[in-house]
Amino acid sequence: MAFQVRAAVLPAVGAPLSVTGIELPDPGPGQVRVRLAAAGVCHSDLSLSDGTMRVPVPAVLGHEGAGTVVAVGEGVTRFSPGDPVVLNWAPACGRCHACGLGEVWLCADALAGAANVHARTADGTELHPGLNVAAFAEETVVAESCVLPLPDGIPLTDAALLGCAVLTGYGAVHHSARVREGETVAVFGVGGVGLATVQAARIAGASRIVAVDVSPEKEELARAAGATDYVVASDTTPRAIRALTGRQGVDVSVECVGRAVSIRAAWESTRRGGRTTVVGIGGKSELVTFNALELFHWGRTLSGCVYGNSDPARDLPVLAEHVRAGRLDLGALVTERIALDGIPAAFENMLAGKGGRALVVF
């Protein structure tokens, strides 16, 4: 039996989102139906809409969400109606080579569900679930593996941010770059993920946190999150960061933009022997170049970072404890609370470099 909910649908790559009614089926075997409380608008959703990242379309976008279980399908034993949950857009299969190595964030089959038929429009057009969970909708039906129990003491609406921005930013600092107490950190890009990264660097005990962004207006957000310094991005950004760090450069740079120019600037801002972690998702045309001599001379480490190199099942309880203790402020990442109809405008704000995280509240 199908029921109708409102959702933000991407009809084709490059087309504007359409907020419309869709027909969602009851949960089948191994599936869970969730009523969304909130969904974050992530830059990855924008990358899906413009074709930077490829998924089957038409699709219901949205991958960062939290809500309440309203029904479960046959065979579901870990969840019951009424349970508060966080959506997990990249469930590990547990069988592939990466999972066997314990690198679940690189699971080869994590996005296999994106090819499934998730729902239908009123005229019968089949819709896919974007990054598995189709969170830009009043309700969604997902595999049991795409749902994580929300730890006690976390507001359900703010918990949506745990599903991507916070896992990514926290993991970039603690799992990928492995920031140690007393080290210096630069964070390039102060959107939702960047603000989470700044907070994570503060939690790690970084002695200096330099936030970098093209927008001067984001300085207050960055400093509230824990940045000790703020640099408006320019051609001289690496020089400015070296000036703040005794001409050495920072121990760690985390790039949260996905642009060749900011990746290169993050690398040049890192001290000799330091670490540069790239979180931002860029297109194939964003080419970063290095010469062989500088790679040898600077001895820096440059690494990619997928989903914060996180294991959501392991890391969610850790993040929840930071929230309960007051070390991690989820609400501080949100600069706008919107309805479904506000997602296109949120996309425009991201393109313009405005604000932190926009949160769709149902």
Side-chain angles (χ1 to χ4, degrees):
M1 178 180 175
F3 56 99
Q4 191 171 91
V5 299
R6 294 179 75 243
V9 174
L10 177 69
V13 172
L17 290 183
S18 173
V19 177
T20 185
I22 65 170
E23 294 182 353
L24 198 63
D26 283 330
Q31 291 185 320
V32 177
R33 177 178 153 198
V34 177
R35 179 176 297 120
L36 273 296
V41 182
C42 180
H43 203 280
S44 295
D45 298 308
L46 181 59
S47 296
L48 293 172
S49 72
D50 66 16
T52 299
M53 297 170 63
R54 294 284 184 175
V55 293
V57 291
V60 179
L61 298 186
H63 62 280
E64 181 184 83
T68 304
V69 174
V70 292
V72 299
E74 180 182 352
V76 173
T77 57
R78 294 191 301 121
F79 299 97
S80 301
D83 289 346
V85 294
V86 176
L87 298 180
N88 175 19
W89 63 269
C93 72
R95 300 179 301 274
C96 69
H97 182 68
C99 286
L101 295 173
E103 298 173 351
V104 297
W105 53 91
L106 298 178
C107 175
D109 296 319
L111 295 181
N116 295 340
V117 175
H118 172 72
R120 287 176 169 80
T121 62
D123 65 5
T125 301
E126 294 180 344
L127 300 173
H128 300 283
L131 293 180
N132 281 327
V133 296
F136 286 168
E138 294 167 329
E139 295 190 14
T140 188
V141 174
V142 299
E144 183 178 13
S145 59
C146 288
V147 177
L148 296 166
L150 176 64
D152 293 337
I154 311 300
L156 186 57
T157 300
D158 290 348
L161 301 165
L162 295 172
C164 185
V166 178
L167 275 170
T168 300
Y170 183 88
V173 168
H174 291 265
H175 303 323
S176 180
R178 299 179 185 273
V179 174
R180 298 181 289 265
E181 186 173 1
E183 288 191 312
T184 53
V185 178
V187 179
F188 285 72
V190 193
V193 172
L195 289 171
T197 302
V198 170
Q199 288 204 42
R202 172 177 48 75
I203 291 170
S207 61
R208 189 160 213 154
I209 304 169
V210 184
V212 181
D213 200 278
V214 296
S215 172
E217 289 76 22
K218 291 187 181 181
E219 180 171 0
E220 184 177 348
L221 281 172
R223 289 189 181 276
T228 57
D229 302 273
Y230 192 82
V231 173
V232 178
S234 71
D235 293 342
T236 62
T237 294
R239 188 184 308 167
I241 290 177
R242 286 195 295 273
L244 291 170
T245 53
R247 299 185 180 180
Q248 296 300 310
V250 290
D251 297 302
V252 172
S253 284
V254 182
E255 198 274 353
C256 303
V257 182
R259 297 282 301 279
V261 65
S262 54
I263 293 171
R264 177 74 202 196
W267 190 79
E268 291 182 5
S269 300
T270 309
R271 67 167 173 81
R272 196 175 187 189
R275 291 103 66 201
T276 303
T277 291
V278 178
V279 174
I281 301 173
K284 293 179 180 179
S285 62
E286 294 287 338
L287 302 180
V288 189
T289 60
F290 307 91
N291 67 59
L293 181 60
E294 66 180 331
L295 290 173
F296 161 77
H297 172 76
W298 288 103
R300 296 164 173 146
T301 299
L302 177 68
S303 61
C305 177
V306 178
Y307 202 7
N309 293 8
S310 294
D311 178 348
R314 173 200 66 198
D315 293 331
L316 195 58
V318 175
L319 294 174
E321 181 53 36
H322 285 308
V323 173
R324 287 191 293 262
R327 294 183 291 267
L328 179 60
D329 184 354
L330 299 178
L333 306 181
V334 179
T335 53
E336 188 178 19
R337 295 176 186 265
I338 61 176
L340 273 174
D341 304 274
I343 295 175
F347 278 5
E348 292 300 320
N349 285 339
M350 279 193 287
L351 285 171
K354 296 179 180 178
R357 198 49 129 218
L359 189 67
V360 180
V361 179
F362 296 93

